Amino acid sequence: MGRYIIRRVLQAIPLLFLLSIAMFLLIHALPGGADQVIFNPHLDAAGRAALRARFGLDQPLPVQYIKWLGNCLIGNFGYSFATNQPVSDIFAERFPPTIELFAIALSLALILAIILGTISAVRQNSVVDYILTTISYFGLAMPAFILGIFLQDIFGVQLHWLPVSGTETLGYTFDAFNSFFDRFLHIVLPTLTLATLFVAGWSRYMRSSTIDVVKQDYMRTARAKGVSPSSVLFRHALRNSIIPLITVAAIDFGSVASGATITEGIFQWPGMGSLFLNSLDVRDYPVLLAMLVVGAVFVIGFNLIADILYGIVDPRIRYS
């Protein structure tokens, strides 16, 4: 396993290198260019030259890339065009709320998807299966912004049970417990919105995989030996049927670096998704480029984690 992990990490290095080149060229090819973003049209030639030198735009593109890559390797992603803050400081402020939202929403979605997908497979072609299938199709077809607005209107506007935006109630001073409870209330609606979207798709994968597994010969053999249905399901079927779900979930977990753009925008959640929208709106190229690179690292990393989990879940899988 150790050699396999080392080999995969070494394979990821040239992949990330090629991705960084593509992303760097893509950002610099966007209409308008960095000059149009940072320059005041009223600046004179000397002011323009000073700004170009300040952001390194006076150098050839290959030189800009090499310097940018070298800084990235030490965690320096440059300075924001919009706020002149270090991009790493912006990430340090925006990343924790996104991690908080994704950790709760995706954990809840994973648990519900396994439970609902397994029930739907075991009760195949029953009323329960049809109901769960209908609910899943509803979740797949429902856009995130529509679902979020519905939840805001029902639980926030009509029932006044939950806050509809932000991370905390402004203008109040709470003790530790009430502050935690206030934070919890604010995260409920964005968590439900995000989790619903993932449960809808993941439960379909779980159902299809479980149906295939329960029809295998070793499952019939276990039942013929008199093994209880619960043991057959949990000890034999579940561990094998969850493998395809690991792949899908790992890719979705890898998207944490780019945040839940639509969900965070609806609920004004100050995470990476809303940062991406704001940066795209003002064409803040250093922030956008850093988000693309970090997102690629997370996707590759979580795919490696998925491969490792294959060997843990299924003892038949061995890496040499």
Side-chain angles (χ1 to χ4, degrees), residues 92-110:
E93 178 184 348
R94 293 298 194 107
F95 204 61
T98 291
I99 288 290
E100 179 184 9
L101 177 61
F102 263 78
I104 298 175
L106 296 189
S107 298
L108 176 63
L110 189 61

Side-chain angles (χ1 to χ4, degrees), residues 13 69 79 85 110 112 179 199 206 213 223 245 248 257 280 296 307:
I13 293 176
L69 181 61
Y79 289 83
Q85 290 180 275
L110 189 61
L112 291 177
S179 178
V199 169
M206 190 64 189
V213 168
R223 287 192 291 265
L245 180 60
V248 180
L280 189 62
D307 289 343

Side-chain angles (χ1 to χ4, degrees), residues 152-230:
Q152 285 178 327
D153 182 64
I154 295 172
F155 294 101
V157 178
Q158 303 297 331
L159 298 176
H160 302 286
W161 288 356
L162 297 169
V164 297
S165 64
T167 60
E168 60 183 7
T169 302
L170 301 178
Y172 291 90
T173 302
F174 298 111
D175 56 27
F177 174 78
N178 288 326
S179 178
F180 171 81
F181 185 68
D182 181 65
R183 181 84 172 188
F184 170 78
L185 292 178
H186 280 81
I187 203 174
V188 169
L189 291 184
T191 296
L192 290 178
T193 301
L194 192 59
T196 299
L197 303 177
F198 286 114
V199 169
W202 290 357
S203 62
R204 293 294 88 195
Y205 282 101
M206 190 64 189
R207 176 185 182 274
S208 177
S209 179
T210 304
I211 289 175
D212 290 338
V213 168
V214 297
K215 295 179 180 179
Q216 299 298 317
D217 291 339
Y218 66 87
M219 296 293 292
R220 299 191 188 97
T221 301
R223 287 192 291 265
K225 289 182 176 180
V227 180
S228 65
S230 59

Side-chain angles (χ1 to χ4, degrees), residues 75 77-78 85-100 183 257 270-272 275 287 290-291 294:
F77 295 102
Q85 290 180 275
V87 176
S88 56
D89 290 350
I90 298 175
F91 277 21
E93 178 184 348
R94 293 298 194 107
F95 204 61
T98 291
I99 288 290
E100 179 184 9
R183 181 84 172 188
M272 298 294 286
L275 175 64
V287 175
M291 291 187 68
V294 174

Side-chain angles (χ1 to χ4, degrees), residues 108-171:
L108 176 63
L110 189 61
I111 295 172
L112 291 177
I114 293 174
I115 294 174
L116 297 180
T118 302
I119 293 174
S120 186
V122 173
R123 302 293 185 180
Q124 185 182 8
N125 298 326
S126 65
V127 175
V128 175
D129 183 26
Y130 292 143
I131 293 175
L132 293 178
T133 299
T134 302
I135 295 174
S136 296
Y137 287 154
F138 172 82
L140 290 171
M142 177 66 70
F145 69 94
I146 294 293
L147 179 60
I149 292 173
F150 280 164
L151 292 178
Q152 285 178 327
D153 182 64
I154 295 172
F155 294 101
V157 178
Q158 303 297 331
L159 298 176
H160 302 286
W161 288 356
L162 297 169
V164 297
S165 64
T167 60
E168 60 183 7
T169 302
L170 301 178

